[in-house]
Amino acid sequence: MRHAPALFGAAAFLAGLAAARVLGAPARARASVVVPHAPADLRCVDVADPTAFVEDCPETRDAAAACDLGLAAVRLATEGRPTTHMPFPDVPEGEQAGPWTDRLAEALIACAIPATFEVSDCDEYPCAAALRVDPPEQARLGEAWSACPGLAGLEVESIEVHCPDGSTEVAHVVMSTADEVWARAVQVNGALPPNPGVAALLGWARRAESVTQMWECNVHGR
């Protein structure tokens, strides 16, 4: 667990949110990866035609299927995709919409983070994402995230989402709380506002609200 950055200190009393801070190394397609639900000693490697292997070893069929799912997720996270996003002005490449989302998706896979990447929102700077975590996995989320160097600088806040049918779900919102990120985000005409800590906190809340508006409720019950 890490303390919130100094820029948020001035308004810490407003943040009544319980944070699970978690810090992963990016994985690239074609790399050897560990799939969370495969046997611990199994390494999954992307190959051109796995059919013969599966037919020769029927006892590994389930493990091979788990590998296929994990490697498909790696390919999805690392392949190029079209985008309508315009680049954020005066923002480092790693915080632009495509690289930021790819970094998060790759790190979740590489570090076997017990979460599903549900949505991301880069309509404004900084980008935000929302993850779904099964209740039994809640306890190990923080430990897995903090051990993942690819997620350094990104933090998670659990936020209750109210669904149209009256039920509630928990979205785990991912965003940066780095001073330099929010200094850029809250600047007006190149200058910080009089109370940058309050502006940063309000900006974080607005971005969290924006990404949770994209959350699909009850997705596993349909």
Side-chain angles (χ1 to χ4, degrees):
M1 305 290 282
R2 298 188 297 106
H3 294 293
L7 191 57
F8 283 83
F13 65 96
L14 296 176
L17 298 172
R21 289 173 174 85
V22 271
L23 300 180
R28 310 306 302 178
R30 304 284 175 188
S32 174
V33 299
V34 175
V35 178
H37 301 296
D41 59 348
L42 180 67
R43 304 294 295 185
C44 302
V45 179
D46 204 356
V47 296
D49 183 11
T51 306
F53 168 78
V54 174
E55 290 178 350
D56 291 342
C57 307
E59 67 275 10
T60 66
R61 194 179 309 276
D62 291 344
C67 278
D68 286 343
L69 289 173
L71 291 166
V74 172
R75 288 191 292 270
L76 179 63
T78 55
E79 68 185 3
R81 296 186 295 277
T83 179
T84 57
H85 285 292
M86 296 294 290
F88 297 126
D90 303 318
V91 168
E93 176 65 18
E95 295 173 34
Q96 298 291 346
W100 188 91
T101 303
D102 288 347
R103 171 197 171 194
L104 176 58
E106 292 169 19
L108 293 176
I109 295 168
C111 295
I113 302 298
T116 302
F117 194 151
E118 289 289 324
V119 294
S120 63
D121 175 18
C122 293
D123 285 346
E124 294 182 34
Y125 178 74
C127 287
L131 312 178
R132 187 184 297 272
V133 180
D134 290 336
E137 301 286 5
Q138 294 276 2
R140 74 182 188 93
L141 175 65
E143 181 179 354
W145 195 295
S146 61
C148 189
L151 297 172
L154 298 179
E155 299 190 3
V156 162
E157 303 270 359
S158 58
I159 297 179
E160 189 175 73
V161 177
H162 294 266
C163 303
D165 65 356
S167 65
T168 60
E169 296 184 0
V170 176
H172 293 262
V173 174
V174 181
M175 229 182 304
S176 173
T177 54
D179 285 353
E180 60 271 20
V181 168
W182 286 97
R184 284 190 289 267
V186 302
Q187 283 185 11
V188 178
N189 298 324
L192 288 173
N195 297 299
V198 173
L201 184 63
L202 293 176
W204 188 97
R206 186 180 68 253
R207 301 297 297 120
E209 173 70 13
S210 179
V211 74
T212 53
Q213 287 290 316
M214 302 165 66
W215 184 265
E216 184 175 4
C217 282
N218 308 315
V219 67
H220 296 306
R222 294 175 179 171

